[in-house]
Structures are given as structure tokens and as C-alpha cells.
Amino acid sequence: MTRRQRDAIIVDIVTAFAEAGYRCWEPDIQNTVYTLQELVGVPLGFRFIPYKQRLFSFDLRDEITSMRADCLIDIRLHSQWQGPGLVVTETGWAFRERWPRTVERYAEIVRFIITAGR
């Protein structure tokens, strides 16, 4: 899987959290990507290690930072009570539309993981 395909899946994860009415933050993405990769078998290629009482991918954290620099996702205040979270930008929406087969292939399982985890 290419880096851009992985980014499209991460953008879709952030989108799925918003569609479900949840605030999305980096630990949410970490957990969802870990589940997709290790339990479902989606070949995302991130390496997870035990870190501070949970599994964590420094590569994924760097990728999220890179996606923010590329203006695919951004931090916005959701509400006074929920606090800040990650959202998909207009650039991110356009980027996601360029990878329809990749997003569609994993969209159903992404939404299942997010709703089952809450």
C-alpha cells in the first residue's frame, strides 16, 4: 500500500468519527489503525510498540503530523464541552475523493470498528 493510500484511509477514519458524532484525536486514530492492521489484516505498514501502557506507533504519529502539514487534516474546537479534535479540511476531502477504491474497500470495517469501540 502506498503512503497516499494510507493517508486516504486515515482521512476516512477522521471522517468516520465525525459522521458517528465523536471527537477524533490521535489516540483514536492510533487505536483504529492498530485494529485495522493487526486484527483485520489491512496492510498499512505501521510498527506498533508498547509505550506508556498501550500500543503506540511513532511512525503513525509522524504521518499524522505530516498530514497536518499537508493540510489534509487540522485541529478545530468541536464544542465547549468536547474540546479540540482532528477534522478533515477541504484539501483532505478532495484528496480522499482521489482514492475512491481504497476508501470504499475499508470504509465498512472502519465504521464498524469506530462504533463497536464506543
Side-chain angles (χ1 to χ4, degrees), residues 28-105:
D28 300 316
I29 295 173
Q30 291 269 349
N31 293 338
T32 305
V33 168
Y34 177 80
T35 303
L36 277 174
Q37 182 174 293
E38 302 300 326
L39 300 180
V40 178
V42 178
L44 296 170
F46 292 108
R47 193 178 71 128
F48 286 85
I49 61 169
Y51 180 74
K52 293 188 179 181
Q53 301 176 345
R54 64 186 174 115
L55 293 169
F56 187 82
S57 173
F58 288 95
D59 298 334
L60 178 54
R61 181 182 64 183
D62 292 344
E63 192 64 30
I64 292 168
T65 301
S66 175
M67 290 174 69
R68 287 188 57 214
D70 292 340
C71 298
L72 300 178
I73 56 177
D74 198 7
I75 298 175
R76 297 236 173 86
L77 183 64
H78 283 276
S79 73
Q80 192 171 15
W81 297 276
Q82 285 186 320
L86 294 170
V87 295
V88 178
T89 63
E90 288 183 31
T91 305
W93 283 107
F95 177 81
R96 182 176 173 257
E97 295 299 317
R98 290 192 302 176
W99 300 96
R101 283 183 279 151
T102 301
V103 170
E104 288 173 17
R105 177 180 290 160

